[in-house]
């Protein structure tokens, strides 16, 4: 299923972003400084790539298709995924708010707590989608429906996200990750 492969590949990219976020939270917890522009860039990645692009495909295209095929929304896996998407948005809002002044101890603690909750939420969420919901999708989607979903995903990226934006965020996450590794756990 090509449409599910696209979403699972995006999950791997999001997991890289979560690893970077974890390193930033660790540094803040140790009382080290982290450049605000790095934090802001990563939060922007989660907002645009993870939410608008990735969750946009799931909420606007995949989930309605699965619901039409009999996978329940209310009281079912789709409903759980939608609730978790909202929880992630709230945690991201808290991180953005706290990131405005990480020198302030209360903001620093709010950022660390929200980041850790976000990391745990998304890691579990991704596991559920990869191992439960997407397995269900493989059982109900036809090859034609899969091809149509894949085309709709591509159109969503072009028209809603913008040409080259997806790739720019891939590059950003890998750049932040390399920078962290090359500086032995420190963000420059």
């Amino acid at each position: 299923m090509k449409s599910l492969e696209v979403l699972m590949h995006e999950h791997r990219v999001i997991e890289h972003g979560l690893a970077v976020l974890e390193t930033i939270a660790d540094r803040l917890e140790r009382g080290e400084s982290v450049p605000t522009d790095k934090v802001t860039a990563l939060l922007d990645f989660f907002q645009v790539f993870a939410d608008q692009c990735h969750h946009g495909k799931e909420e606007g295209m995949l989930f309605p298709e699965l619901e039409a095929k009999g996978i329940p929304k209310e009281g079912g896996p789709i409903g759980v995924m939608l609730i978790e998407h909202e929880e992630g948005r709230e945690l991201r809002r808290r991180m953005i708010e706290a990131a405005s002044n990480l020198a302030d101890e209360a903001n620093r603690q709010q950022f660390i707590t929200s980041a850790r909750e976000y990391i745990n939420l998304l890691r579990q969420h991704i596991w559920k989608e990869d191992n439960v919901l997407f397995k269900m999708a493989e059982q109900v989607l036809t090859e034609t429906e899969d091809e149509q979903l894949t085309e709709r995903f591509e159109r969503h990226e072009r028209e809603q996200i913008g040409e080259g934006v997806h790739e720019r965020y891939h590059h950003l996450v890998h750049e932040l990750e390399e920078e962290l590794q090359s500086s032995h756990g420190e963000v420059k």
Side-chain angles (χ1 to χ4, degrees), residues 21 43 91-99 111 114-115 118:
L21 181 60
L43 293 174
L91 289 167
R92 192 182 67 247
R93 277 192 286 276
R94 289 184 202 162
M95 286 187 285
I96 290 168
E97 183 182 294
F111 184 90
S114 299
Y118 186 77

Side-chain angles (χ1 to χ4, degrees), residues 106-154:
N107 281 357
R108 192 180 195 91
Q109 288 308 314
Q110 179 182 323
F111 184 90
I112 293 165
T113 300
S114 299
R116 298 233 185 268
E117 289 178 26
Y118 186 77
I119 292 163
N120 290 333
L121 174 73
L122 258 62
R123 284 181 175 156
Q124 291 175 21
H125 178 83
I126 287 169
W127 188 92
K128 289 179 215 171
E129 284 185 344
D130 286 352
N131 295 287
V132 179
L133 187 62
F134 292 177
K135 299 289 187 214
M136 296 170 84
E138 288 174 349
Q139 302 301 313
V140 298
L141 293 174
T142 66
E143 190 174 321
T144 301
E145 291 163 339
D146 178 53
E147 289 171 7
Q148 291 170 343
L149 264 177
T150 304
E151 288 171 14
R152 289 172 64 203
F153 287 176
E154 290 169 2

Side-chain angles (χ1 to χ4, degrees), residues 14 17 19 35 39 48 53 61-62 70 94 98 100-101 105 108 114 125 127 134-135 142-143 154 157 163 176:
I14 293 166
V39 176
V48 177
C53 180
M61 294 163 248
L62 177 65
R94 289 184 202 162
S100 65
N101 182 9
E105 187 58 31
R108 192 180 195 91
S114 299
H125 178 83
W127 188 92
F134 292 177
K135 299 289 187 214
T142 66
E143 190 174 321
E154 290 169 2
E157 280 196 30
E163 288 287 341
L176 288 171

Side-chain angles (χ1 to χ4, degrees), residues 38-91:
K38 303 294 183 202
V39 176
T40 302
L42 187 62
L43 293 174
D44 183 62
F45 160 81
F46 286 123
Q47 182 170 344
V48 177
F49 183 87
D51 196 29
Q52 294 171 3
C53 180
H54 179 77
H55 291 159
K57 291 173 189 169
E58 291 175 341
E59 293 175 3
M61 294 163 248
L62 177 65
F63 294 172
E65 187 78 33
L66 297 180
E67 195 175 356
K69 294 291 220 165
I71 296 177
K73 177 179 175 181
E74 297 305 318
I78 295 170
V80 171
M81 297 301 105
L82 291 169
I83 289 168
E84 290 179 356
H85 286 180
E86 283 305 316
E87 290 172 357
R89 289 177 182 123
E90 177 57 30
L91 289 167

